[in-house]
Amino acid sequence: MEQVYLNGAFLPKGEARIPVDDRGFLFGDGVYEVTPFYGGVPFRLPRHLARMRRGLAALQIPIEAQGLEALEALHEEILVRNGLEGAEMAIVYLQVTRGAAPRTHHFPDPAPAPTVYAYARAFQRPSGEEWEKGFGAITVPDLRWARADLKTVQLLPNVMAQQAARAAGVADALLVRDGLALEGAHSNLCVVFGDRVVTHPLSNQVLPGITREAVLEAARARGIPVEERPIPMTELPDATEVFFTGTTTEVRPTVQVDGKPVGDGKVGPVTREIQEGFLELVARECWVEHPVGAGAR
Ligand code: PDD
C-alpha cells in the first residue's frame, strides 16, 4: 500500500488527514518541490531543497534548521518505503504549508507548526517513438501572480493553462505575458535560433528550474551558445527548434506551436544534442547507465 509522509510519520495514504483549517487548503499558503530519482538516486536534491528554503523564507514560513535537514533524509526513506529504490525513474513530491489555524488573512500568531507532506511515485518518460515524433504546444496568456519564481501551491493559472493544452490535444501550454514567451505551465522554455539556445532570464516571471539549470550547463559544456534574454513572440516564427525542460518533462521537443510547425516541424539537432548532454549529466550524477542515445529513448 502506498505510504505517505505527514508531519513526522509515515502512514498509508488512505489514513493521512489534514485539518480543514490548514492554510494550504484555505489559501494555497505553502510551497512544494518535485525531485527526480534515477535508479534510486536523487538528481540535484540539494538544489531542490535550496529552492524550497528560499520559498519558505520569502513566504516567512518558519521551519527549523533540523526540520529542513530531516526533509533531505525523508526523500530516501519515502522512496524505500514504497519499494521505489530500484525504479528507473521516480519522483518525490514534498509540500510545506504554513500549517493549521482559524482562518485569518494575516499570519496566525503564534505561528502554527508547518504541515509537511510527501509522497513518492514511479515516473515514466515518453517512448522513443513519441519523443521522435515531437510534441505540440499552444500559447496561453500568463495569468499568474507576480512571483512566479516561487514554487507555491497556488497553481490554478497553471492548471487552467494545462487543461487548455489538453483540450487542444497538445502536450504543453506556453505562457505568454506582455508579448514575451516565458515558460510552460509546469516547465521552462528554450527556443533555438540556428545554433543558439535562448531562454527567459531568471526573474520574478519564471520558475528557476533545476532542469533548466542542468540543461544550460550541458549546452555550455558542449559549446552550444546560450542566451538568457526575453523572447518576444514576434521572434517565434524564426525559431528553428523549441523544447521545454522540467523534472517530469526532462527535455521535451516541441515541433508545433498553435498548429504551426516549428522550423521544419521535426525534432532538431540542437534539441538532440541537449538531450544527450542532459542524460549524460543524469548518468554521471546518479550513477545510472545512460538511458539510450540522443533522441532515441
Ligand atoms: N514543475 N516552471 C514551472 C512553472 C514549473 O512548475 C516547473 C516544475 C518548472 C521546471 O522546474 P524543475 O526543472 O525544477 O522541475 C518550470 C513541477 C515538476 C510540477 O509542478 O510538477
Side-chain angles (χ1 to χ4, degrees), residues 32 34 48 51 144 151 158 183-188 207 209-212 245-248:
Y32 75 108
V34 185
H48 284 274
R51 184 169 64 188
R144 297 174 301 168
K151 204 164 171 57
N158 309 58
E183 65 175 333
H186 55 80
S187 52
N188 290 109
L207 190 82
I210 310 305
T211 320
R212 173 192 183 279
T245 68
T247 291
T248 50

Side-chain angles (χ1 to χ4, degrees), residues 35-40 79 84 87-92 120-123 247:
T35 303
F37 281 70
Y38 293 86
L79 211 70
L84 293 171
E88 195 184 336
M89 291 176 67
I91 56 107
V92 172
R121 70 174 163 81
F123 174 73
T247 291

Side-chain angles (χ1 to χ4, degrees), residues 53 122 140 158 228 263 295:
R53 220 172 283 127
V140 176
N158 309 58
E228 294 179 66

